[in-house]
Amino acid sequence: MDSSQKAWELENAIKLVDPHRDALYSYDQAEQTAIASSRPWKNDPHYFKNVRISAVALLKMVMHARSGGSLEIMGLMQGKIAGDTFVVTDAFRLPVEGTETRVNASAEADEYVVQYLQSCRESGRMENA
């Protein structure tokens, strides 16, 4: 965390409400690399039992879905794996064209995802999409 954010948190008396719950959203690169390399879901197709979605990610998904009206929409969820749980920390929409029956993702959407994830990593957010 940079010093300006720490200063802002001190000035505004920001307190961690529940350290155990909020720890769910911290990202440990070594832990995620170990999980990804062991791939326990390869042996058990029912390995994942739960999904935890942050309130912000859920709000973004609902707003995006409502903005589509009767058209299909497309986006990605971003997060990590914790045990047998997907932890969704964020969600973002994709710049694609939708119709009533399908969404066509183009090369433009692929480029957008790559650029989005690259800028996330540059800003210190290492979660996968």
Side-chain angles (χ1 to χ4, degrees), residues 61-74 93 98-101 103:
M61 287 186 267
V62 170
M63 288 175 53
H64 181 46
R66 301 248 331 156
S67 72
S70 63
L71 300 178
E72 287 198 30
I73 50 111
M74 186 179 216
R93 61 180 36 187
T99 66
E100 291 180 357
T101 58
V103 176

Side-chain angles (χ1 to χ4, degrees), residues 1 6 8-9 15 37 41 43 53 71 76 88-90 96 100-101 103 120 125:
M1 191 177 338
K6 285 182 183 179
W8 184 86
E9 288 177 355
K15 295 179 184 171
S37 51
W41 53 87
N43 300 328
I53 303 173
L71 300 178
L76 289 178
V88 179
T89 56
D90 200 3
V96 297
E100 291 180 357
T101 58
V103 176
C120 283
R125 295 197 47 221

Side-chain angles (χ1 to χ4, degrees), residues 52-117:
R52 295 187 74 173
I53 303 173
S54 76
V56 172
L58 180 61
L59 184 62
K60 285 181 173 182
M61 287 186 267
V62 170
M63 288 175 53
H64 181 46
R66 301 248 331 156
S67 72
S70 63
L71 300 178
E72 287 198 30
I73 50 111
M74 186 179 216
L76 289 178
M77 293 181 279
Q78 195 172 5
K80 65 177 188 169
I81 297 169
D84 65 350
T85 304
F86 282 116
V87 179
V88 179
T89 56
D90 200 3
F92 58 97
R93 61 180 36 187
L94 291 177
V96 297
E97 288 186 30
T99 66
E100 291 180 357
T101 58
R102 72 183 104 139
V103 176
N104 296 325
S106 61
E108 179 185 346
D110 294 339
E111 279 184 43
Y112 179 83
V113 171
V114 169
Q115 289 175 351
Y116 182 86
L117 293 174

